[in-house]
Every structure is written in structure tokens, then in C-alpha cells.
């Protein structure tokens, strides 16, 4: 190939070698150290002694089974992975070869965990050759970490906004109770699960008179009060919703015996019947409630249950208002 | 890029002038959520529009505000990340100046969708540089002035930074070792 290979042969002094390869290790033909690059010397610290044997400095991880540098070179060709025995860095990757002539061996290695090594050995720019991509790798690692952090923060903020929007879409703004959409979802879920629950349909009595005589502000005041009463009388796992002007639906989850249902309904009616003070004036309304229970429906579907509760409510109104009727 | 500038402006105004002023800016800018997300896209030119509004609200020239945003990005201890990313540009201040040309390409490695401005540095004489920056955002040139000024300080270099003709920034480095450079470890301490 080349007429005279020796013409292309370079002679390098140790200083130049150290500058271009701060992580090199030069061994004699027996595998004993002749020179260490300055950065590799920082890795090996006290172990970096001239004459030290390769296998005393490093444990070979790849190629498997190799111990001495000759075994490494013979088995791996030119690429190997080693760990310094002093345990200061996690691993080094490198290549090496026998130099022509007296059989000296030149190895050059690099850090597998660059950032970890810089951190644990407090390395600086001067410890790397200018052609190495150290700053680029560190730049990318940190830029990438900030982008990931920003995205994580953005995700959290968007999730918060989504939850708030969903909550808003399910809430009746005047009373703070759930709305029609929310109660439909709850009923649908409970019916599909064939759960045991009670459904109450409530309509205020004499509410139109309050609106007509005292104005809408008084009407809103009554509705807000009813909302507060329902929230206080029901548990967190229940659901109270305003589904129309003065129409409410309550879902009592997990129990439905008649006595409990009637007790809850009567307590709510009694509280609503207490006079509410609006601008120094007592306002009086009442409420009628129709109740159905899921265990009385052979095949509970939301629409049928609401229709049945509506019939019970009609019966309550018909029986003279201010009372609850349970339809079995 | 508008998003990053808007978020920087937001942090700067919030930290320096307080939430009432920022609220006023957002109100005039029709931004009821009062926050600009650095990872979302905004209409091109929005950063300049909000910058102009901030100038009106704060009663200062918009150029001064963008320069301050640049300085704030580098010097604010809570946002050490920006300063560190810039310090990866080189060992000396002139290394750093030369690295500015590579910065858009580097930034794109981390954030491929970023429409980074084009930065051109000419070495016009010994220790004399001309820096140009091409972007659809007017304010970015001023942000760059603020960043370069703060980084000169970080490297301990004394220099004269001025706007020359055609929006070109002229930088004369008078003394590269005017003061001690601020400490910089290649790897950020763990934790």
C-alpha cells in the first residue's frame, strides 16, 4: 500500500501526547505503565505510579474474561470497557493498540458517565482536550433538563386548569350545587353499576310568590340558602343538584331503606320551611319531595328513575305540599 | 421565540415591579390568565406588542426594558440555568462571544421547534466585535445587549457595548481580566 510507512511515522513527546490525549495510558510490552495522561492521573490518584500493572489499576468489564492488557487487546480488537479499582468513577471506555517497534501499548479512554466524573473529580475545561465535545454534552444535558422541567410544570398547570374547567362545567354557579349534566353522569354511573341508592326530586313551594312579590334578588337568596341546606344535609359521596329554576335532585348513595330516605327528606323540608331573613324581612317557602329507590326498579335506567321520582313529587304536591312521598 | 421572551418579560416585571404592575400589563394586553407559557406558541410579534405595553405601564423606554430583561435572565439567581448554558460557550469572554453564533444551533438541539434568531459576529479588529441579530422580534437585539453586558461581568471582562449603525451592536473589550470571573463548575452540583 505505502512504499515507505516510516515516512508517515510521527514522533511525539510526552507533553504533546498529554495535551492531545489527557486520558491516555502508555504501557510497556509487559503491560506496565510508562506514562499517564494528566486527567487519567486524576482519576487514578495515588495508583498512577510508573511501573504499575494494567490489571492492578483496572478491572476489565468487556471483553469478558480478559484480565491483562494483552488479553484485552487480543479478544476485543480495539474497543474495551474498564473500571478503575479505586472506584472513583463508574467506568471508562477506550481503545488501544500495540505500537510498531518495541511493542509498547497506547490506550486512550473516555468517561462513560461524563457528568458524574466531572462532578466527583471537580474537573474543569483544562482537563479535556479542546476537540472533545464536553461542553456540548453538558450544554445539552442541562438544556434538556430545563426543557423537561418546563414541560412538567406546564403539564401540571394545564391539568389544574382542566380540573377547574371540568368542575365549573358540572356546577350550578348560583347555589354551588352540581348541575343537570353532573347528576346525569352520577345516575348513569350508579345505574350501570346496579348500585343501591335513593333518588329524590324536590320542588320548592311558594317560590314563585317570593319572586313576584320581593323580586329576583330575594328568589336568588332563597335558592342559595336551599343550596347550603342541601350541602349540609348530604354527605360528600351523595350528590345534590339544581336542575332547573327551583327544581332539585338529590342522589343518596349506598343506602336506600325507606325510613332513612324519609328521615333525610323530612329534615330537609323542615329546614327549608324555617323563615329566611332577607333584608330584615322573613321569607317563607316550603318544599315537596318525591323519592324512589334503585332496588325497586327491576332494570334501573336514569330516565325511568327520574320519571318515577317526578310522579312521586307530583303525588307529594297533590297531597298538600310541604311533604315527602316515597314511591315503592 | 415569542413565548420565551414573553415569559422572561413576565418574570422580570413580576420580580422587579410586583404583581400589580404585571396585572396592569396583562389587562391592557388582553391576557386574563396573566401568564405566558414558555412552551406554547404565541402569535409572532406578540412579544413586541406586550413589550410596548409594559413600557407604557412602567413609564420607561421599551429598549431599556428589553435590555433589563436580558440582564435579568443572566443575573437572577433563581434562573441560574440561563447563565450556565451561556457559560458553556467558552473559557474566556471572547470564546463566549464567538460561541454566540453557535448558540441558535445548540438551542435547536434541545428545542427543535425553537425559531431562534440568527446571530452573526464579526471580529473587526483586535478585541473589537460587531454583533448582529436577525429576528422578526424587535426587542431581541436589546435583550442580547443586556445578556452580553451581564456575561462580560460574569467573565470579569471590562468592555464598551454600544448600538452602532443598522442595529448592530459594537463591543470593544478593554480588559479581559478587569475583575475576578464568577465561579463556574462544568457540572452542576448534584441535588
Amino acid at each position: 500500500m505505502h512504499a515507505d510507512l516510516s515516512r508517515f511515522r510521527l514522533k511525539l513527546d510526552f507533553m504533546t501526547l498529554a495535551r492531545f490525549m489527557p486520558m491516555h495510558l502508555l504501557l510497556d510490552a509487559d503491560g506496565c505503565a510508562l506514562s499517564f495522561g494528566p486527567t487519567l492521573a486524576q482519576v487514578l490518584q495515588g495508583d498512577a505510579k510508573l511501573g504499575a500493572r494494567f490489571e492492578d489499576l483496572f478491572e476489565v468489564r468487556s471483553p469478558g474474561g480478559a484480565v491483562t492488557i494483552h488479553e484485552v487487546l487480543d479478544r476485543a480488537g480495539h474497543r474495551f470497557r474498564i473500571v478503575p479499582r479505586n472506584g472513583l468513577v463508574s467506568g471508562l471506555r477506550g481503545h488501544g493498540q500495540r505500537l510498531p517497534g518495541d511493542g509498547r501499548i497506547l490506550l486512550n479512554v473516555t468517561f462513560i458517565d461524563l457528568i458524574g466524573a466531572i462532578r466527583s473529580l471537580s474537573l474543569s475545561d483544562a482537563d479535556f482536550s479542546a476537540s472533545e465535545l464536553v461542553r456540548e454534552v453538558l450544554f445539552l444535558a442541562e438544556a434538556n433538563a430545563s426543557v423537561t422541567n418546563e414541560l412538567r410544570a406546564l403539564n401540571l398547570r394545564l391539568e389544574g386548569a382542566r380540573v377547574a374547567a371540568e368542575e365549573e362545567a358540572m356546577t350550578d354557579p348560583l347555589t354551588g350545587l352540581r348541575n343537570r349534566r353532573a347528576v346525569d353522569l352520577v345516575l348513569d354511573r350508579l345505574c350501570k353499576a346496579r348500585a343501591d341508592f335513593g333518588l329524590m326530586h324536590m320542588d320548592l313551594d311558594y317560590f314563585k310568590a317570593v319572586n313576584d312579590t320581593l323580586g329576583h334578588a330575594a328568589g336568588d337568596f332563597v335558592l342559595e340558602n336551599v343550596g347550603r341546606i342541601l350541602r349540609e344535609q348530604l354527605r360528600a359521596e351523595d350528590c345534590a343538584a339544581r336542575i332547573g329554576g327551583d327544581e332539585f335532585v338529590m342522589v343518596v348513595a349506598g343506602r336506600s331503606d325507606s325510613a332513612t330516605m324519609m328521615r333525610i327528606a323530612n329534615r330537609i323540608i323542615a329546614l327549608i320551611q324555617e323563615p329566611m331573613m332577607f333584608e330584615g324581612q322573613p321569607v317563607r317557602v316550603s318544599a315537596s319531595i318525591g323519592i324512589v329507590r334503585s332496588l325497586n326498579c327491576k332494570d334501573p335506567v336514569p330516565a325511568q328513575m327520574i320519571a318515577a321520582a317526578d310522579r312521586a313529587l307530583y303525588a307529594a304536591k297533590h297531597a298538600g305540599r310541604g311533604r315527602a312521598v316515597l314511591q315503592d | 421565540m415569542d413565548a420565551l421572551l414573553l415569559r422572561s418579560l413576565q418574570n422580570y416585571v413580576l420580580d422587579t415591579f410586583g404583581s400589580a404592575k404585571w396585572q396592569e400589563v396583562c389587562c391592557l394586553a388582553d391576557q386574563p390568565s396573566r401568564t405566558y407559557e414558555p412552551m406554547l406558541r404565541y402569535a409572532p410579534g406578540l412579544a413586541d406588542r406586550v413589550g410596548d405595553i409594559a413600557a407604557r405601564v412602567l413609564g420607561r423606554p421599551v429598549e431599556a426594558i428589553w435590555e433589563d430583561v436580558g440582564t435579568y435572565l443572566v443575573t437572577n439567581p433563581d434562573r441560574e440555568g440561563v447563565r450556565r448554558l451561556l457559560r458553556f460557550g467558552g473559557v474566556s469572554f471572547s470564546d463566549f462571544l464567538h460561541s454566540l453564533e453557535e448558540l441558535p444551533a445548540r438551542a435547536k438541539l434541545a428545542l427543535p421547534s425553537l425559531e431562534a434568531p440568527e446571530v452573526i459576529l464579526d471580529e473587526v479588529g483586535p478585541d473589537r466585535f460587531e454583533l448582529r441579530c436577525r429576528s422578526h422580534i424587535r426587542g431581541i437585539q436589546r435583550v442580547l445587549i443586556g445578556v452580553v453586558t451581564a456575561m462580560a461581568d460574569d467573565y470579569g471582562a471590562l468592555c464598551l457595548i454600544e448600538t452602532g449603525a443598522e442595529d448592530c451592536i459594537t463591543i470593544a473589550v478593554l480588559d479581559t481580566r478587569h475583575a475576578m470571573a464568577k465561579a463556574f463548575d462544568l457540572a452542576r452540583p448534584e441535588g
Side-chain angles (χ1 to χ4, degrees):
Chain A
M1 298 236 293
H2 294 291
D4 182 5
L5 264 175
S6 63
R7 272 184 63 203
F8 299 97
R9 216 159 264 162
L10 291 175
K11 281 193 173 165
L12 294 178
D13 58 72
F14 284 133
M15 292 296 284
T16 312
L17 196 58
R19 228 165 65 92
F20 277 85
M21 295 186 188
M23 296 272 284
H24 80 268
L25 172 60
L26 187 66
L27 303 166
D28 65 18
D30 294 329
C32 299
L34 292 172
S35 87
F36 298 90
T39 307
L40 185 63
Q42 288 193 59
V43 174
L44 297 173
Q45 302 204 339
D47 293 347
K49 291 198 186 85
L50 295 182
R53 298 193 68 82
F54 172 82
E55 56 268 34
D56 294 332
L57 296 172
F58 302 103
E59 180 196 333
V60 180
R61 288 284 163 81
S62 155
V67 176
T68 66
I69 188 60
H70 291 291
E71 287 164 349
V72 169
L73 292 183
D74 292 345
R75 287 188 204 181
H78 298 302
R79 222 179 150 91
F80 55 80
R81 191 156 53 80
I82 54 182
V83 180
R85 293 204 184 270
N86 68 9
L88 281 178
V89 298
S90 58
L92 301 168
R93 192 184 58 237
H95 58 162
Q97 79 176 56
R98 297 187 182 91
L99 300 177
D102 54 10
R104 284 185 296 177
I105 299 160
L106 181 62
L107 311 178
N108 196 28
V109 296
T110 187
F111 297 110
I112 292 170
D113 174 11
L114 176 68
I115 297 173
I118 291 174
R119 212 175 264 146
S120 60
L121 299 170
S122 304
L123 299 178
S124 73
D125 278 289
D127 297 315
F128 296 95
S129 88
S131 58
E132 271 187 85
L133 293 172
V134 173
R135 283 178 172 262
E136 281 72 10
V137 168
L138 296 173
F139 177 94
L140 256 188
E142 289 196 18
N144 198 41
S146 350
V147 170
T148 312
N149 276 341
E150 279 299 342
L151 285 176
R152 194 178 302 122
L154 173 63
N155 268 339
L156 279 176
R157 288 191 289 265
L158 289 179
E159 175 62 11
R162 190 188 66 77
V163 168
E166 201 161 79
E167 180 70 23
E168 203 172 304
M170 299 276 199
T171 306
D172 167 46
L174 178 64
T175 58
L177 298 175
R178 311 261 85 178
N179 59 16
R180 177 82 204 216
R181 210 169 87 86
V183 85
D184 282 348
L185 285 174
V186 169
L187 276 181
D188 202 42
R189 174 167 54 79
L190 291 175
C191 284
K192 280 193 176 122
R194 300 194 157 272
D196 179 21
F197 66 93
L199 177 67
M200 301 185 185
H201 193 177
M202 178 174 88
D203 193 273
L204 297 186
D205 304 319
Y206 320 115
F207 179 71
K208 192 171 176 301
V210 174
N211 260 340
D212 290 349
T213 56
L214 297 169
H216 285 285
D220 286 353
F221 172 76
V222 168
L223 292 173
E224 283 172 56
N225 260 306
V226 171
R228 186 180 42 75
I229 290 168
L230 294 184
R231 268 198 307 278
E232 283 169 6
Q233 295 307 312
L234 294 173
R235 303 160 305 168
E237 58 266 42
D238 301 331
C239 169
R242 183 165 80 113
I243 59 166
D246 61 343
E247 261 185 276
F248 299 80
V249 164
M250 288 84 84
V251 180
V252 181
R255 52 186 181 164
S256 64
D257 61 289
S258 328
T260 310
M261 289 300 115
M262 285 304 284
R263 202 168 55 241
I264 295 172
N266 285 329
R267 201 166 55 219
I268 289 171
I269 292 169
L271 287 165
I272 290 174
Q273 282 174 340
E274 280 175 17
M276 306 173 186
M277 295 304 288
F278 177 72
E279 291 175 354
Q281 252 184 294
V283 181
R284 284 170 194 276
V285 292
S286 180
S288 304
I289 298 181
I291 309 169
V292 288
R293 303 185 295 151
S294 62
L295 49 81
N296 287 331
C297 303
K298 263 203 246 70
D299 191 17
V301 274
Q304 280 179 19
M305 287 200 63
I306 286 181
D310 199 43
R311 282 195 297 277
L313 170 63
Y314 184 77
K317 288 261 185 201
H318 197 69
R321 303 185 175 177
R323 69 192 63 204
V325 168
L326 188 139
Q327 182 136 356
D328 264 337
Chain B
M1 202 63 207
D2 276 271
L4 287 181
L5 275 197
L6 283 165
R7 181 51 159 241
S8 308
L9 180 69
Q10 171 184 328
N11 288 339
Y12 163 71
V13 174
L14 275 174
D15 278 6
T16 318
F17 302 96
S19 61
K21 287 285 179 199
W22 179 244
Q23 219 165 302
E24 217 178 314
V25 173
C26 288
C27 199
L28 292 171
D30 280 332
Q31 183 72 5
S33 72
R34 292 194 211 126
T35 185
Y36 290 97
E37 289 294 347
M39 292 293 147
L40 295 184
R41 279 185 80 87
Y42 293 95
L46 185 64
D48 280 321
R49 203 163 70 77
V50 179
D52 290 340
I53 292 171
R56 271 212 310 276
V57 169
L58 302 172
R60 308 181 58 212
V62 69
E63 292 81 9
I65 288 177
W66 284 126
E67 269 188 50
D68 283 357
V69 168
T71 311
Y72 169 86
L73 277 176
V74 174
T75 54
N76 187 294
D78 293 345
R79 311 195 192 287
E80 237 251 321
V82 177
R83 172 198 167 248
R84 286 190 54 82
L85 289 180
L86 292 169
R87 280 290 293 253
F88 284 125
V91 187
S92 69
F93 183 59
S94 54
D95 276 358
F96 160 76
L97 286 177
H98 281 289
S99 80
L100 285 174
E101 278 194 350
E102 303 162 16
L103 196 59
R106 277 196 191 184
K108 273 192 115 124
L109 281 178
L111 209 58
S113 61
L114 185 73
E115 284 162 18
E118 193 185 347
V119 180
I120 299 136
L121 183 90
D122 286 311
E123 201 163 349
V124 289
D127 294 324
R128 292 189 60 84
F129 301 88
E130 283 181 7
L131 188 61
R132 285 178 186 79
C133 162
R134 292 200 193 118
S135 165
H136 70 272
I137 306 173
R138 268 183 292 123
I140 212 147
Q141 175 103 3
R142 294 291 172 160
V143 174
L144 193 58
I145 293 179
V147 165
V148 170
T149 310
M151 286 307 287
D153 200 45
D154 212 85
Y155 277 100
L158 179 68
C159 50
L160 203 61
I161 299 168
E162 291 170 313
T163 36
E166 291 170 39
D167 262 2
C168 131
I169 308 167
T170 64
I171 303 160
V173 182
L174 307 176
D175 183 357
T176 52
R177 284 162 192 245
H178 174 70
M180 277 281 282
K182 296 218 170 72
F184 178 68
D185 295 325
L186 272 185
R188 194 195 277 274
E190 223 159 351

